[in-house]
Amino acid sequence: MDDRGARAVKTDKPEAAARRPPRGGGSRAAEASLRASAPGLKEKLTAGRRQAEAVLKESGGRACAEFLSAELDTIVRALFEGFDAGGRNESGMSLLAVGGYGRGTLAPHSDIDLLFVLPGRQTPDDHAQVERVLYALWDLGLKVGHATRTVEECLKLSLSDMTVRTAILEARHLGGSKELFERLMTRFDREVVAGTGGTYAQEKLAERDERHRRVGESRYLVEPNVKDGKGGLRDLQTLFWIGKYFYRVRDGSELVEKGVFTADEYRRFLRAEDFLWAVRCHMHVLAGKAEERLHFDIQREIASRMGYGRPEGAEDEEPGMGFSVVERFMKAYFLTAKEVGDLTRIFCAGLEAEQAKPVWGLGRFFRSRRPRVQKLDGDFLLDNGRVNIADENAFRRDPVNMLRLFWTADRQEADIHPDALKLLTRSWSLVDRRLRGNTEANRLFLDLLTSERDPELNLRRMNEAGLLGRLIPAFGEITAMMQFSLYHHYTVDEHLIRCVGVLAELEKGGSEDIHPLSHSLMPDLRHRRVPLYVAVLLHDVAKSSADHSTAGAALARKICPAMGLSAEDSETVAWLIEHHLLMSMTAQTRDLTDRKTIDDFAGVVQTVERLKLLLVLTVCDIRGVGPGVWNGWKGQLLRTLYGETELLLTGGFSEVSRAARAADAREALEAALADWDEPARKALVALHYDNYLLSVDLTDQLRHARFIHEAEEGGKRLATAVETRRFEAVTVITVLAPDHPRLLSVIAGACAAAGGNIVSASIFTTTDGRALDTILIAREFDRDEDESRRAERVGRLIEDVLSGKARLKDVIARRARPKRGARAFSITPQAVIRNALSNRFSVVEVTGLDRPGLLSEITGALSDLSLDIASAHITTFGEKVVDTFYVTDLTGAKIENPARIQAIRERLVSVLDGGSPRAHAAT
């Protein structure tokens, strides 16, 4: 148990160690007394946690954390003194609280960190006493980080290990020798701290940056890490550590006396700290453990606990109708995280002024002690490599300088000095209607937005500093706005800024391998790059509206002329925003081999230039949602839609009749099989109906021909084949089986059970009564060999279920797992049947909450309703599914009878609703 000379570690008690008799010469009477009091201590701990929850509700997060720390103090002191031979402390040992416990703040299920300080070499009695205290704490269910060291060892380790140094910086005396504690702290201050403030600050800020990289660089992740994430509690604690170390203060309020914070800024610090502590404590209480990530499934409950709910009796808004309870709470969270960033900039500016050397500047560190100042144009300086203002009146003298600050940093490719950012934060009253309408200010903004260097960095700097939302009030309304959805990874403002970054990357050619078509179109759009960048920045600016596309277009028609865009460019931006979801939804939810799909889409787009602009905007929008959202299959769908539409808009779409085109396709397939003997060739071609020949390209027809031939040669009535497609990021599973009304339902269920996420399915029937179904599942592995093995497992499971070797219901129940957080969401199930979207099929679109096996249930219901599925287009947006099926009745006709349509709606809604009797059918 003794880890002298090592870093403090958190250790759970091994069962074997728990049964091992203690060593050393401790007091048997003390041991007996503590054993007798252990149940009482456990009850005290439980009661203390219950009382802490009441303190949390009544007095806030910081009060709760301090109350819990005080409760633990009582228990730890009782154990230490009880095991210390009746409290006489004959060894002279000192017990200290360190880490968060040393600060006197604990969340309900936080670990506690202890340091046992010895006056000299450790004795068997010392070892026994430490061991007994730790065992007793473990018996209470606590996790304990601990170390046992002499004063010399503490000081030696502090000089080489920043973790140990920070732990001792926050040390607090709990029991034992007070004189030994004071000796340690006096020597620590004199031998470790003195003269090392700048180095310590740099180390801790570098450590913070590394922590951000580890848990997520953005402070706007929709499931943030409240403790360690950017803008979280640890960032505030880092400021306090540096302040305590550099300014030699014991309390944060002393930073006001030192001139680092104003009184108002320190009040903001305390508000942010109290809010974050409240969130963290509520998370621990709800999870019943040390939970640090604010997951979707607890956000609603915490929002309610913290007073963001509606008045009693009122219902929450529907999505898209203003802010929901969760979204109001999370907006407050993200604004607090942003406040932490503001305070960090202010703090670091004060630190540099005190030290007269740079410590931190938007992620970079500088070593030079002598200021290097270079005069720049206007009211700006290059101060140790960062753009600074020449004097404190620069913004008041000319508010356009607020834009010039960022413009100059962009041109210099330099960071911005914390002094300038601090003054900017204190100058918001200068951002008014006159500045927003200033021609020069708008020119500078458009230069920043379309910069050939790094427009994403420019916008993020402006947003972090609070300028972007003040210059564009509509952008300010969606700043820190969260969308309560598993699909969206970031707040709306962060999403928009990332989309601009994707556009800049496309323009520079950095994504040619991912987006070859979009990349190739960028030179053609050079003359429209300004409206394109503006549209990308503003496409979700009306996200709080019920119809954010239409509302966003209306806003753009007001904003763009004020920015200096021409009437033509302003209208282009408005059109792009109004239709920014059209191409994505058409590509993912419609049959792109259906002529009506292309006709309808082209009728909205109308020109090739708009088509190019919309494609690029769509790519940026999907890529900006978050990691893993974009994939090659979505890219392939967009390329197909683009290609077919461009052909129609340029007059190249074939006007040849369907029958003639089918006859040509039949001849092409027969010619491609010229090396087959004539009877086999004729038989294969005769298997396919016209719809197959017109919908499937020749390459896949030949692959299917070989697959069918091999199955027949092997005497297989049931067979599967797999093909991996790396670029499209999908794997194709082809199934040949006797036709059956519920065949697709069985295949979908088997895929779900095997972990195969279906993105598309094409269903064809051969003339001899067999089904040839092509299923596309999302790729999981990078290596083709691994993906092929996985796809073959999916194929075998499909064969097992179809052949009766496995029961579908059992394999789904055993293998399929719901997504974490899905239970937190509620989506009104809808089923819509449209006859205007296709000339040959009725289009059934269902929307609802995803769950394992849902696609199997839906396709099974369609079969039970005597509907023949021609193709399925499966789209998942986080927890939400939008699945589209092209169907006919069993005679091959559309579904037109109103009563039949209503019956289909009600049945599908019942399935989406989990089979409950309530029926809610969309009209």
Side-chain angles (χ1 to χ4, degrees), residues 151-162:
V151 170
E152 293 295 337
E153 288 167 340
C154 288
L155 297 173
K156 182 178 179 182
L157 277 170
S158 293
L159 290 170
S160 60
D161 190 318
M162 280 292 171

Side-chain angles (χ1 to χ4, degrees), residues 186-215:
T186 299
R187 290 189 59 189
F188 176 76
D189 192 55
R190 184 176 65 244
E191 299 175 27
V192 178
V193 174
T196 62
T199 301
Y200 181 82
Q202 288 192 11
E203 291 270 0
K204 297 311 288 184
L205 290 166
E207 180 184 284
R208 178 209 58 184
D209 289 346
E210 176 56 35
R211 171 168 45 80
H212 290 168
R213 278 189 287 273
R214 189 174 66 252
V215 302

Side-chain angles (χ1 to χ4, degrees), residues 455-744:
E456 181 181 2
L457 176 62
N458 295 333
L459 293 172
R460 184 165 288 110
R461 283 172 171 172
M462 294 175 70
N463 195 43
E464 290 278 330
L467 181 60
L468 187 55
R470 286 174 171 82
L471 281 174
I472 308 174
F475 195 94
E477 290 182 17
I478 52 89
T479 296
M481 179 185 173
M482 170 236 199
Q483 298 170 84
F484 190 57
S485 161
L486 287 174
Y487 179 67
H488 298 96
H489 293 235
Y490 306 107
T491 56
V492 180
D493 55 325
E494 177 68 7
H495 163 68
L496 293 174
I497 291 170
R498 285 174 178 264
C499 288
V500 171
V502 176
L503 177 56
E505 182 185 327
L506 276 173
E507 194 173 23
K508 294 173 185 174
S511 298
E512 183 177 4
D513 56 333
I514 305 172
H515 311 291
L517 176 58
S518 299
H519 168 76
S520 69
L521 296 177
M522 290 306 295
D524 297 341
L525 300 175
R526 185 75 184 173
H527 67 295
R528 305 309 298 274
R529 64 191 302 271
V530 171
L532 180 56
Y533 270 94
V534 173
V536 169
L537 176 65
L538 299 180
H539 72 268
D540 277 342
V541 78
K543 198 70 175 184
S544 60
S545 302
D547 181 355
H548 77 281
S549 299
T550 302
L555 279 170
R557 290 185 174 97
K558 296 177 182 177
I559 295 171
C560 293
M563 281 186 177
L565 270 67
S566 67
E568 180 186 1
D569 284 350
S570 296
E571 189 54 38
T572 296
V573 172
W575 184 89
L576 285 170
I577 292 174
E578 184 172 1
H579 298 288
H580 75 271
L581 296 175
L582 176 65
M583 194 167 194
S584 172
M585 294 305 294
T586 301
Q588 295 185 71
T589 67
R590 298 287 176 254
D591 188 342
L592 302 183
T593 65
D594 191 307
R595 172 67 179 268
K596 188 69 163 57
T597 298
I598 308 303
D599 283 345
D600 291 347
F601 180 70
V604 178
V605 175
Q606 295 187 335
T607 71
V608 173
E609 183 177 83
R610 278 184 170 180
L611 177 64
K612 293 176 180 179
L613 290 167
L614 189 57
L615 173 67
V616 173
L617 172 56
T618 302
V619 168
C620 295
D621 192 12
I622 299 174
R623 280 279 307 278
V625 169
V629 175
W630 174 270
N631 58 43
W633 173 242
K634 291 175 183 174
Q636 181 59 47
L637 291 174
L638 291 172
R639 285 190 294 275
T640 300
L641 178 56
Y642 177 90
E644 295 294 318
T645 307
E646 184 188 40
L647 197 63
L648 179 59
L649 291 173
T650 55
F653 210 93
S654 174
E655 296 296 336
V656 179
S657 70
R658 177 181 174 84
R661 286 187 288 121
D664 290 344
R666 198 175 297 278
E667 290 179 10
L669 176 57
E670 190 167 350
L673 296 174
D675 57 336
W676 287 32
D677 61 74
E678 186 173 355
R681 183 171 67 249
K682 294 288 186 184
L684 188 284
V685 174
L687 281 176
H688 300 302
Y689 291 105
D690 288 356
N691 188 46
Y692 172 86
L693 295 166
L694 293 173
S695 302
V696 180
D697 66 40
L698 184 59
T699 301
D700 283 336
Q701 289 179 26
L702 293 173
R703 183 170 59 84
H704 293 162
R706 289 190 293 270
F707 169 55
I708 294 170
H709 180 70
E710 289 170 6
E712 290 174 342
E713 288 284 302
K716 295 181 179 179
R717 297 183 69 250
L718 170 64
T720 58
V722 302
E723 180 193 25
T724 61
R725 296 182 180 174
R726 176 186 293 274
F727 186 71
E728 292 91 340
V730 294
T731 295
V732 182
I733 300 178
T734 307
V735 180
L736 181 67
D739 197 15
H740 185 277
R742 296 182 65 92
L743 181 60
L744 181 59

Side-chain angles (χ1 to χ4, degrees), residues 221-507:
L221 292 166
V222 292
E223 288 188 301
N225 186 308
V226 176
K227 178 184 176 184
D228 291 322
K230 193 170 186 178
L233 266 173
R234 187 69 82 203
D235 281 2
L236 284 178
Q237 290 162 0
T238 297
L239 296 189
F240 182 68
W241 290 333
I242 295 171
K244 191 172 183 180
Y245 195 105
F246 188 89
Y247 294 101
R248 317 289 273 276
V249 300
R250 300 295 296 178
D251 186 85
S253 61
E254 296 176 57
L255 294 173
V256 177
E257 299 169 17
K258 297 285 185 180
V260 179
F261 289 138
T262 64
D264 178 65
E265 287 161 352
Y266 184 61
R267 282 192 293 271
R268 288 162 55 193
F269 181 102
L270 294 178
R271 281 198 303 271
E273 183 183 44
D274 188 67
F275 179 89
L276 292 172
W277 266 116
V279 174
R280 188 180 181 211
C281 288
H282 280 299
M283 287 164 55
H284 280 216
V285 169
L286 284 175
K289 61 180 182 179
E291 178 62 78
E292 309 300 351
R293 189 169 289 281
L294 188 49
H295 290 287
F296 286 119
D297 50 7
I298 57 175
Q299 287 177 7
R300 190 181 301 278
E301 178 65 23
I302 293 178
S304 177
R305 282 167 163 258
M306 292 184 65
Y308 289 88
R310 296 212 161 284
E312 191 171 347
E315 293 185 2
D316 199 11
E317 298 105 330
E318 287 292 318
M321 299 295 289
F323 293 121
S324 70
V325 168
V326 178
E327 288 166 345
R328 284 196 300 277
F329 160 61
M330 291 304 295
K331 185 176 179 75
Y333 177 87
F334 292 120
L335 288 174
T336 299
K338 184 176 176 298
E339 186 86 84
V340 173
D342 292 342
L343 292 168
T344 299
R345 283 190 291 274
I346 292 167
F347 178 87
C348 290
L351 189 65
E352 289 199 20
E354 177 73 21
Q355 195 185 14
K357 80 166 190 173
V359 174
W360 173 83
L362 298 176
R364 297 183 183 176
F365 298 93
F366 296 84
R367 297 185 179 86
S368 172
R369 286 185 173 275
R370 288 184 301 176
R372 301 190 307 275
V373 179
Q374 175 187 342
K375 185 75 172 67
L376 299 175
D377 291 341
D379 293 311
F380 301 100
L381 307 168
L382 197 62
D383 185 346
N384 280 293
R386 291 169 298 175
V387 176
N388 202 352
I389 48 173
D391 64 80
E392 292 196 354
N393 293 316
F395 298 145
R396 191 163 300 280
R397 185 166 54 249
D398 184 358
V400 177
N401 276 333
M402 302 172 90
L403 273 299
R404 292 192 184 103
L405 172 67
F406 296 93
W407 187 89
T408 303
D410 176 62
R411 290 304 183 271
Q412 294 289 328
E413 297 187 68
D415 290 332
I416 300 176
H417 198 284
D419 277 346
L421 291 168
K422 179 169 72 172
L423 182 63
L424 190 76
T425 303
R426 294 172 177 175
S427 304
W428 294 141
S429 61
L430 301 174
V431 184
D432 55 18
R433 184 175 299 177
R434 285 174 299 174
L435 179 61
R436 296 186 191 108
N438 184 283
T439 302
E440 175 67 4
N442 282 296
R443 183 190 68 78
L444 292 169
F445 177 74
L446 290 177
D447 270 2
L448 287 163
L449 175 60
T450 60
S451 170
E452 295 183 352
R453 282 167 285 278
D454 195 345
E456 181 181 2
L457 176 62
N458 295 333
L459 293 172
R460 184 165 288 110
R461 283 172 171 172
M462 294 175 70
N463 195 43
E464 290 278 330
L467 181 60
L468 187 55
R470 286 174 171 82
L471 281 174
I472 308 174
F475 195 94
E477 290 182 17
I478 52 89
T479 296
M481 179 185 173
M482 170 236 199
Q483 298 170 84
F484 190 57
S485 161
L486 287 174
Y487 179 67
H488 298 96
H489 293 235
Y490 306 107
T491 56
V492 180
D493 55 325
E494 177 68 7
H495 163 68
L496 293 174
I497 291 170
R498 285 174 178 264
C499 288
V500 171
V502 176
L503 177 56
E505 182 185 327
L506 276 173
E507 194 173 23

Side-chain angles (χ1 to χ4, degrees), residues 781-820:
F781 295 101
D782 290 332
R783 285 164 42 92
D784 282 343
E785 297 89 339
D786 296 334
E787 182 63 19
S788 293
R789 282 192 292 271
R790 175 234 184 186
E792 286 163 4
R793 287 196 298 272
V794 176
R796 284 195 297 271
L797 184 55
I798 291 172
E799 292 185 31
D800 287 347
V801 173
L802 289 175
S803 64
K805 292 180 182 178
R807 291 181 69 244
L808 182 59
K809 188 175 180 180
D810 292 342
V811 294
I812 290 178
R814 186 169 63 250
R815 301 191 187 192
R817 294 287 181 270
K819 298 175 184 176
R820 170 162 190 174

